[in-house]
Amino acid sequence: MWLSHGCAQVSSVSRRLLRAVVRRRKSHAASFMPEAAGFEGVRDRAGLQEFSVAHTERFWSCVARHRLDWISPFHTVLDCDLDRGKVRWFEGGKLNVSVNCLDRHAHSSPQKIALIWERDEPGSEVKVTYRQLLEMTCRAGNLLRRRGVKKGDTVTIYMPPCPLAVASMLACARIGATHNVVFAGFSAEALAERIRDAQSSTVITVNEGVRGGKVTCLKKTVDVAVQSCPTVRQVFVAMRTDTPVTMTTKDVAMEEEMKAEDTVCEPAAMGSEDVLFLLYTSGSTGKPKGLVHTQAGYLLYTSLTHKYVFDYCDGDVFGCVADIGWITGHSYSVYGPLANGGTTVLFESTPIYPDPGRYWEMVERLKISQFYGAPTAIRLLLKYGDQWVHKYDRSSLRTLGSVGEPINTEAWEWYHTVVGEGRCPVVDTWWQTETGGICIAPRPSESHAEIVPGMAMRPFFGIKPALMDSEGKEVTSSDASGALCISQPWPGMARSIHNDHQRFIDTYFKTYPGYFFTGDGAHRSKEGYYQITGRLDDVINVSGHRIGTAEIEDVVNQCCAVAESAVIGCSHRIKGQGVYAFVVLKQDVQDVDLTSQINNMVSDKIAKYACPDRIQFVQRLPKTRSGKIMRRVLRKVVERDLAGLGDLSTLDDPAAVQEIIQGHSDLCAKQQQP
């Protein structure tokens, strides 16, 4: 009796101890992500990632129900077929993105700071509470509605980072319109092309932009652009400066009109797969493509990545210095932070205005917790020396991030050691406009987990990378390289290319059927970490801005003196990649002053960052017998890898290569002269 009773006692104790151990293990993951409490066998962050790809529907269903406020619940988690480019998440559900970003936080914490507008003028920041941003958004939404903007219409926003730009984006989301934000550095022609493709009837802009102490008349750019855009019937003009501008019959004084509007605006009930925004990115064909992002999946993914990649906590100040005209500004200056009820910085200036200490002075003054910038800027600031960093208190920083391109080891070490004082993890994030949010990054992972300089490393929840070989087969081994694909859908990914779904399929799903093709190459280490090795197509990544070589060539070829051209990416110490143009002139044309003329044309028609860093005038380009330009050969010449030129027998005129090699050598020698 005693023995059996004693055994029962021991067994009972053992069971209680076992349950306690299980609870502790679960609580470790659940304390990190509350939803993990319901995921069997998940004990840590690595386990969460494994669960998220093995049980995709259950993971995303649980997270979506917990983190988003729904007007009506979804009935289908996902309905996807990557072979056909079909991506649909949370069907049946209805919600409003602006409510998720504003109303719920304004209700619980109306005086909490939502935005800190870091104006170009140092020390003149403007703080906007959640209540104020909600009221601004509602006034803008009511104005758009009163002026005839309907659910499904597209509104083009051509503005620098500022609170009204964010309110305009959220106002579109509130009334069910689609926003199309165009980087305010684009030329009138580039803006017009995006307005026409998006079929916008409404444009929102400011009188002038201010950046780096320089003033640009954005209203004039819009005036020129809309002349070739017959769909545009109204242009809302806000005032960034006190400088008056000439108003046309289409123009509306935005801030004056907003004053008359109510501060309550009924939010539209939007389907999960209704379009939230278009964002144009360069393609290898030369025609920019308007990527389509939808409501619920995008918002959920940006919210989750913002929270867990950067370890964002309530009370932090998130400092993403990207322009709102790019996907980084959309996802990590606006939607991700605001969905999480965070405080986010809108940076209007440049890293070196009024001096190279601008970022770090801002960190000290605003008490920034997470800083997210581009490797281009880090490399630029590195050359100015450590003194500009040491001058300011950076003790508020907890996480440093890089975005836009792989960060080189030297810049990573400086960022970590000098800026972060060796205590802040550096998250080198890999993602694209097409992915909606961060896909590969060193975090989330255990706090003691290693971070390798210059590597994106670990896939985020729900992301399952794959490397493909030249025969289209998946490479399963470690310590291997290949074309980077993602083998299953995730909520944040783009849904289509506006007006051209076949191009969407051909670009991202046709090369490797059943996979999303990123266009990047990658290496997987023996530990299973991923390192991005660069673009595989004819797209150049200049200072984090992707630009198609064909788009630049199209402009260069418009010069009356140019017969043809070939543009490639080249290594650049500051920008990561620069633009190198080979130009063939028409007969009897001299290259006097053509360099300036070509650069001015590229600046006017695309943007300044797309201007060639070097232009080499050549007699002919290396071509195959079928007439295809051999850009591979040109890259090898510029990289000075003559041993890697390979077999040139397939060229129509192999002698052209020797002429180009000699011309490149002469150009380099000339530009090195004092």
Side-chain angles (χ1 to χ4, degrees):
M1 283 290 289
W2 183 85
L3 183 59
S4 62
H5 178 72
C7 287
Q9 287 277 13
V10 172
S11 177
S12 175
V13 169
S14 297
R15 284 196 297 271
R16 286 198 299 271
L17 287 173
L18 181 60
R19 285 196 294 267
V21 170
V22 171
R23 279 197 301 270
R24 281 198 297 272
R25 285 176 173 172
K26 278 194 172 183
S27 66
H28 177 62
S31 63
F32 172 71
M33 179 182 283
E35 296 92 336
F39 301 154
E40 295 87 352
V42 174
R43 300 174 179 176
D44 54 22
R45 300 175 198 192
L48 264 175
Q49 208 284 331
E50 293 173 7
F51 184 92
S52 70
V53 295
H55 305 279
T56 300
E57 287 198 39
R58 189 170 166 200
F59 176 84
W60 288 114
S61 174
C62 189
V63 172
R65 295 182 198 281
H66 180 80
R67 293 180 183 262
L68 298 181
D69 283 359
W70 297 88
I71 297 171
S72 58
F74 53 89
H75 54 65
T76 304
V77 180
L78 75 159
D79 180 14
C80 302
D81 181 354
L82 295 187
D83 285 326
R84 296 191 292 128
K86 178 184 178 182
V87 182
R88 301 186 70 82
W89 286 83
F90 312 121
E91 285 199 286
K94 291 188 180 295
L95 78 170
N96 187 275
V97 165
S98 76
V99 170
N100 277 271
C101 289
L102 298 177
D103 299 53
R104 56 180 179 170
H105 311 309
H107 177 72
S108 60
S109 306
Q111 298 308 313
K112 184 176 182 180
I113 302 299
L115 304 177
I116 303 178
W117 181 23
E118 176 68 5
R119 289 154 47 97
D120 190 59
E121 304 86 355
S124 64
E125 73 273 10
V126 175
K127 296 182 178 181
V128 181
T129 67
Y130 271 95
R131 174 181 284 171
Q132 290 171 330
L133 184 56
L134 175 58
E135 291 180 354
M136 192 187 309
T137 297
C138 287
R139 289 181 188 273
N142 285 328
L143 175 59
L144 291 173
R145 269 183 178 154
R146 178 166 62 82
R147 298 283 304 193
V149 177
K150 303 182 298 297
K151 181 177 178 179
D153 289 351
T154 300
V155 176
T156 294
I157 300 172
Y158 185 71
M159 304 173 80
C162 62
L164 188 53
V166 175
S168 297
M169 295 166 71
L170 292 169
C172 290
R174 196 165 192 89
I175 68 172
T178 298
H179 64 69
N180 168 38
V181 181
V182 178
F183 172 57
F186 274 129
S187 67
E189 187 166 327
L191 171 61
E193 183 176 20
R194 287 154 175 79
I195 292 173
R196 288 193 299 267
D197 190 76
Q199 298 168 303
S200 285
S201 60
T202 300
V203 177
I204 305 176
T205 190
V206 296
N207 63 333
E208 294 180 323
V210 185
R211 188 170 185 267
K214 299 177 181 178
V215 177
T216 305
C217 189
L218 300 184
K219 172 65 164 56
K220 286 183 179 178
T221 303
V222 173
D223 287 344
V224 173
V226 299
Q227 289 176 9
S228 60
C229 300
T231 59
V232 175
R233 59 181 178 81
Q234 59 186 347
V235 177
F236 293 96
V237 183
M239 301 296 288
R240 167 59 180 90
T241 68
D242 295 330
T243 305
V245 289
T246 302
M247 301 289 276
T248 71
T249 55
K250 291 184 177 180
D251 296 336
V252 179
M254 187 170 189
E255 288 140 318
E256 287 299 313
E257 292 291 320
M258 282 174 60
K259 290 177 183 178
E261 299 296 339
D262 197 349
T263 57
V264 176
C265 178
E266 183 66 23
M270 303 298 291
S272 295
E273 285 299 326
D274 287 339
V275 178
L276 176 61
F277 66 85
L278 306 180
L279 190 58
Y280 284 81
T281 185
S282 293
S284 57
T285 65
K287 176 180 170 59
K289 50 185 183 285
L291 288 159
V292 177
H293 281 284
T294 55
Q295 310 271 334
Y298 171 80
L299 186 66
L300 177 65
Y301 196 74
T302 57
S303 167
L304 208 66
T305 49
H306 172 257
K307 165 67 178 172
Y308 290 112
V309 172
F310 300 101
D311 186 29
Y312 186 85
C313 300
D314 189 41
D316 288 348
V317 176
F318 191 77
C320 173
V321 292
D323 193 281
I324 59 166
W326 309 113
I327 189 64
T328 305
H330 278 55
S331 298
Y332 299 111
S333 291
V334 182
Y335 286 112
L338 294 180
N340 289 331
T343 298
T344 180
V345 175
L346 297 172
F347 184 70
E348 187 183 40
S349 194
T350 76
I352 56 173
Y353 180 77
D355 57 51
R358 178 61 185 269
Y359 278 167
W360 323 124
E361 185 275 333
M362 178 181 70
V363 166
E364 177 183 275
R365 175 165 38 85
L366 303 184
K367 300 291 186 289
I368 289 174
S369 314
Q370 294 88 5
F371 182 87
Y372 195 31
T376 299
I378 303 305
R379 288 191 291 267
L380 174 65
L381 296 174
L382 188 158
K383 77 173 188 178
Y384 284 100
D386 300 353
Q387 68 273 17
W388 290 105
V389 183
H390 292 153
K391 186 176 178 181
Y392 301 102
D393 177 15
R394 301 166 322 285
S395 59
S396 62
L397 286 173
R398 287 206 330 275
T399 303
L400 300 173
S402 71
V403 60
E405 59 184 303
I407 186 170
N408 57 300
T409 301
E410 180 190 13
W412 190 100
E413 294 284 4
W414 184 82
Y415 199 24
H416 178 254
T417 305
V418 178
V419 177
E421 300 171 320
R423 59 180 178 78
C424 299
V426 175
V427 289
D428 176 13
T429 63
W430 175 86
W431 59 297
Q432 303 170 327
T433 306
E434 294 87 340
T435 72
I438 295 163
C439 289
I440 307 177
R443 297 285 191 261
S445 58
E446 302 302 326
S447 58
H448 60 271
E450 71 171 329
I451 294 181
V452 181
M455 292 185 73
M457 298 186 72
R458 301 177 178 94
F460 189 71
F461 304 131
I463 301 298
K464 190 177 180 182
L467 299 182
M468 311 300 287
D469 65 19
S470 58
E471 296 180 356
K473 297 179 180 178
E474 185 171 348
V475 180
T476 57
S477 60
S478 296
D479 196 17
S481 298
L484 179 62
C485 296
I486 300 176
S487 61
Q488 60 187 42
W490 65 101
M493 67 190 299
R495 302 306 197 251
S496 187
I497 291 174
H498 183 59
N499 289 332
D500 198 348
H501 190 69
Q502 187 59 49
R503 186 183 179 192
F504 183 65
I505 295 171
D506 293 344
T507 303
Y508 303 109
F509 304 102
K510 192 174 181 179
T511 307
Y512 302 102
Y515 296 82
F516 172 84
F517 175 44
T518 70
D520 282 337
H523 177 80
R524 183 169 54 227
S525 72
K526 60 183 180 181
E527 297 85 5
Y529 302 150
Y530 289 87
Q531 181 171 23
I532 310 304
T533 55
R535 296 296 298 171
L536 298 175
D537 57 15
D538 291 323
V539 174
I540 306 173
N541 194 328
V542 181
S543 299
H545 306 321
R546 289 173 59 192
I547 183 75
T549 56
E551 190 173 356
I552 302 174
E553 289 168 3
D554 183 59
V555 174
V556 173
N557 293 343
Q558 291 176 30
C559 177
C560 60
V562 174
E564 63 177 336
S565 65
V567 170
I568 63 169
C570 61
S571 178
H572 193 286
R573 188 170 61 87
I574 300 299
K575 296 188 289 186
Q577 270 195 303
V579 179
Y580 197 114
F582 294 88
V583 176
V584 179
L585 299 178
K586 295 176 181 176
Q587 287 187 341
D588 302 323
V589 173
Q590 302 297 317
D591 61 1
V592 179
D593 294 329
L594 279 180
T595 296
S596 297
Q597 183 180 339
I598 289 170
N599 274 318
N600 288 337
M601 289 180 66
V602 174
S603 176
D604 290 343
K605 292 181 178 293
I606 305 176
K608 287 184 178 180
Y609 70 79
C611 293
D613 297 279
R614 285 188 176 182
I615 298 177
Q616 181 178 340
F617 295 99
V618 298
Q619 294 297 316
R620 49 200 163 168
L621 296 170
K623 296 181 180 180
T624 64
R625 290 180 175 87
S626 63
K628 179 182 178 182
I629 298 172
M630 293 291 285
R631 288 178 176 79
R632 174 186 63 80
V633 171
L634 296 176
R635 291 190 190 97
K636 292 297 182 183
V637 172
V638 172
E639 293 166 359
R640 302 186 184 185
D641 181 17
L642 302 186
L645 284 173
D647 182 15
L648 302 179
S649 62
T650 59
L651 295 182
D652 182 49
D653 185 2
V657 178
Q658 294 304 318
E659 294 175 5
I660 290 169
I661 292 171
Q662 184 59 52
H664 176 256
S665 178
D666 294 343
L667 181 63
C668 291
K670 180 180 179 181
Q671 294 192 348
Q672 287 175 356
Q673 292 176 357

